[in-house]
Amino acid sequence: MRIKRNSSNYLMEHSLEAKRLSRKANPDDFIDRYIGRLIAERSGMRKNGRLEILDVGCGSGSVVSKLAKRYPRCSIYGVDLNAARFHDLQKNCCPVNLTFVEADARQLHFEDNKFDVVFSRFLLEYMSDPSLVISEMIRVARRGGFILLQDLDGQLLRNYPIDICLRKKINRVVNYLKQSGFDPYVGRKLFFLAKKNGLRKTKVFIEPYHLIAGKITNENYLLWDMKLEIAKPHIAQALGSKNAAILFKKEYLRYLSNEHTLTYSDLITVVGKKGL
């Protein structure tokens, strides 16, 4: 079966995206709060054998490289569509128990029932067919293994007070991106998609993610500046010109710099088990 790329995936393949994701990622926090607990529970269930862990959409590899160092007795795999993202890590300082694979998340190059823990972060929002990705994640998981899905809900869309002119532009941009697969509301759909694909003992966790109350910090300003720069060609298509995209970027960053504004989105995490 031939898989076609989502045009929205090109947002993820911009030369700045790996740099932005590396700066934004907090691997230790994610491992401590989620993956480490799943590894510990799965280790207790299996007793014997080397655990195998898979990150689908691993990006620059910041999470899997940290996992490999912290769990040297586990075999860690990272999959991404764009090998250029993890090339430097793979070439220079890749732990011996870490393997990178260039592959489409909708057609993983692994046999059935291989992995003890399979997880995905900030990938499904860019996929026009997230259910297919989830079904692949479940296929390659061992029976009784864990699947973790984590993504955003309401990105770009939750701001107050409302700037009517800016809101109209945001809606045009988001509606344009939706045509190529981007889903700003994928977070709220994860539970349904997990249940639809047969995950059992499913748990849901919700927390704020983009929480900017008042003037944005310098570090977050830089991250948003990079994010909007990456999306600028798409913004230009949505708004009609390159100049319109440049102006939108300035207006949005100015809004985030206003000490009276609130901008937020939710981070939704779904964890379940593959049936026996």
Side-chain angles (χ1 to χ4, degrees), residues 159-212:
N159 309 280
Y160 194 86
I162 303 221
D163 182 314
I164 299 299
C165 292
L166 182 58
R167 169 57 57 195
K168 289 180 180 178
K169 293 180 181 180
I170 290 173
N171 289 339
R172 286 175 62 185
V173 170
V174 169
N175 288 334
Y176 174 82
L177 293 176
K178 283 180 179 179
Q179 296 174 24
S180 57
F182 174 70
D183 185 355
Y185 295 119
V186 74
R188 67 186 62 181
K189 301 173 184 177
L190 297 181
F191 177 75
F192 169 79
L193 292 171
K195 299 292 284 187
K196 175 185 174 184
N197 280 283
L199 282 190
R200 301 172 62 250
K201 298 184 178 180
T202 310
K203 298 179 181 179
V204 180
F205 307 88
I206 301 178
E207 59 194 285
Y209 188 69
H210 295 114
L211 178 55
I212 305 169

Side-chain angles (χ1 to χ4, degrees), residues 4-26:
K4 296 176 66 177
R5 287 189 181 187
N6 287 351
S7 57
S8 60
N9 283 342
Y10 294 116
L11 286 170
M12 303 169 68
E13 295 174 13
H14 192 284
S15 59
L16 285 175
E17 183 65 358
K19 180 180 178 181
R20 185 187 75 85
L21 291 174
S22 293
R23 294 190 66 152
K24 191 172 183 61
N26 189 342

Side-chain angles (χ1 to χ4, degrees), residues 2 14 140 155 184:
R2 185 175 180 179
H14 192 284
V140 300
Q155 185 179 187

Side-chain angles (χ1 to χ4, degrees), residues 65 68-69 88-100:
S65 62
K69 292 173 184 176
D88 290 341
L89 181 61
Q90 186 180 41
K91 181 178 178 181
N92 298 321
C93 55
C94 187
V96 295
N97 61 327
L98 173 57
T99 302
F100 287 108

